[in-house]
Amino acid sequence: VPGSRHGLHLCGGWADHPGPVFVVEGASDVLALAAVGVPAVGRPSNTGGGKELVALLAAVDPARPVVVVGENDRKPTGQWPGKDGAEKVAAEVAAGVGRDVRVGYPPA
């Protein structure tokens, strides 16, 4: 659609599940975590969605950990977009909501 842009991916009731909120990359990661009852919010790309996440997560109880998950997509050249993006988004969200935001990675 002309003028549109990608936003966050959410499953209904995500905030009602206990435990940390995982910020993952993309809709399929959100669906996988939602299927097992884990609260997740999906960002539109490795570096995107920071402003939208700040607005959404500002209302989440500060006692709940927020973990931005990076993808294991390290390239043979040494570039690691999933890591770089997760760190960027975590820093943006932490600054915007005024609290600690962790970065995590799935196992190899």
Side-chain angles (χ1 to χ4, degrees):
V1 175
S4 67
R5 61 191 183 97
H6 294 281
L8 301 178
H9 304 282
L10 303 168
C11 283
W14 69 271
D16 298 331
H17 292 285
V21 176
F22 292 93
V23 178
V24 295
E25 187 179 334
S28 62
D29 289 357
V30 171
L31 291 171
L33 290 176
V36 295
V38 175
V41 176
R43 56 194 196 274
S45 66
N46 65 322
T47 60
K51 291 178 191 173
E52 294 82 3
L53 286 164
V54 167
L56 181 73
L57 297 173
V60 170
D61 180 356
R64 281 184 87 176
V66 174
V67 181
V68 178
V69 180
E71 300 213 351
N72 286 333
D73 57 357
R74 191 173 198 162
K75 309 296 181 207
T77 62
Q79 292 180 310
W80 194 346
K83 178 180 181 288
D84 297 341
E87 290 173 355
K88 175 192 175 291
V89 170
E92 186 175 353
V93 173
V97 297
R99 61 187 266 197
D100 184 46
V101 175
R102 301 173 188 169
V103 178
Y105 305 95

